[in-house]
Amino acid sequence: MTTRAAAQPLAIREHRLANGLRLYLIVDRTAPVAAVNIWYHVGSKDERPGRTGFAHLFEHLMFQGSENVSKAEHLTLVESIGGEGNATTWLDRTNYFATVPAEWVELILWMEADRLATLLTALDQENLDNQRDVVKNEKRSSYDNQPYGSAYIELFALAYPKGHPYHHPTIGSMEDLDAASLADVRSFFETWYAPNNAVLTVVGDIDESEIVAAVERHFGAIPANPSIPAHPDLSLAAPLGGEIRKTIRDRVPEARVHFAFRAPVLSAPLVPAVEIATQILAGGKGSRLYRRLVRDEQVAQDVSLSLLPFAGGASIIVGAATVRPGVENDAVERAFVEELERLAAEGPTPSEMERAKALTESEELLVRSDPEELADAVGMYATLLGDPGRINRDLDLALAVTAEQVQIAARLFARENRIVLWYLPEDRP
């Protein structure tokens, strides 16, 4: 096997404000840009029954104006200086980010601080009603009216029992959003949006002392919340314990099978081996699943398999294959499962290990070369693991994975840990 030189460790500078805000800086002179990424440790797992969808709702409300930035002006300003920005919500977090020419980085810091400190001054019933409708339209377009759009909602509902914080979808319940009062929404913001529940990462062509001074200037006076609640218990009462199957007839062009498997949490030692296993099985056109299902037997149009790592309880491995027209559905499921079970039974070949590690190394180096991706990764590890330096160990951990560890990881694909979800065209027998 080829010996690779270890990647140079990134110099991550940490500063902590008196109000609890954690700031991480990485200087990168490659290009005259800077990425700002702020992670709030609140996601859909932190929502209480009857009030789901709030974490995602705030992803929208945070762009609806604050004391000094008018409604929808935030992204307009970012784009006017040649930058781009957005936000995402997931089970474990909500994050906001922008990449701009480096000389404009303080504008982004000021706007982020302004909406953290003063969002509630602009949050009124009109804004709430408007963004509630936006979320409903998003659900219709991305989930309800999108072929296979509900797959993750269905898989998560099957993988995590009712009542578990990961069971309900991040988009939330439309009934819950309709029932939400302005007081409910304001309370959610006051509870979770605080500097001591945030991680701010800045990566790019920056001056460390200037950024620290700017962050102190704009964020330093924002008070901490001394009573942020504990995150909910994510432990699972029992393992999956047996294969779960479900079939949905819907307006889909072709039959598609989705798979899901419970997996170790983000911090678990087996996670690098799980990721190498998914590379061997579905990482590009040289992978086992692609070669057999798409190229050789031509029973599927596409294949996928990847790990979605979570902070607690269990992560989830998700995969799918779309049936080629004229092919029996069972042939696709059978071939997919046989490849999973063969990896567990026989383990990977040396050439497969080499290829998977090369792909992983390439992906890792791409993250390191992109300020936005790098800021996001540091924010993730700092928020969910309290370990921003994990980014410096990721590649070494992946390259150290053995064939035996991959074979152990592949045991996660066993029938007793398997969810099989079929989508079938509603207009065909």
Side-chain angles (χ1 to χ4, degrees), residues 318-332:
V318 292
T322 306
V323 179
R324 190 178 292 273
V327 172
E328 292 291 331
N329 296 342
D330 287 349
V332 175

Side-chain angles (χ1 to χ4, degrees), residues 18-87:
N19 59 14
L21 178 73
R22 286 173 288 165
L23 170 64
Y24 297 97
L25 304 176
I26 298 177
V27 177
D28 180 356
R29 305 293 183 199
T30 305
V33 299
V36 178
N37 198 313
I38 185 164
W39 275 57
Y40 292 96
H41 198 175
V42 57
S44 57
K45 73 178 180 187
D46 299 296
E47 297 162 348
R48 57 189 176 89
R51 291 295 180 267
T52 63
F54 278 30
H56 176 249
L57 178 64
F58 266 100
E59 178 195 320
H60 292 264
L61 289 171
M62 286 282 275
F63 291 97
Q64 294 307 297
S66 49
E67 188 171 289
N68 299 295
V69 179
S70 62
K71 183 176 180 179
E73 187 181 11
H74 189 112
L75 288 179
T76 300
L77 285 172
V78 172
E79 292 166 1
S80 72
I81 58 174
E84 55 184 14
N86 212 327

Side-chain angles (χ1 to χ4, degrees), residues 2 13 19 48-49 76 93 120 128-129 136 195 206 218 223 231 235 283 306 310 367 387 411:
T2 304
R13 305 295 188 186
N19 59 14
R48 57 189 176 89
T76 300
R93 54 89 181 129
L120 294 185
L128 174 58
D129 292 341
K136 288 180 181 179
I206 56 174
H218 300 305
H231 296 286
S235 60
S306 60
F310 299 140
V367 169
D387 182 15
R411 294 173 188 168

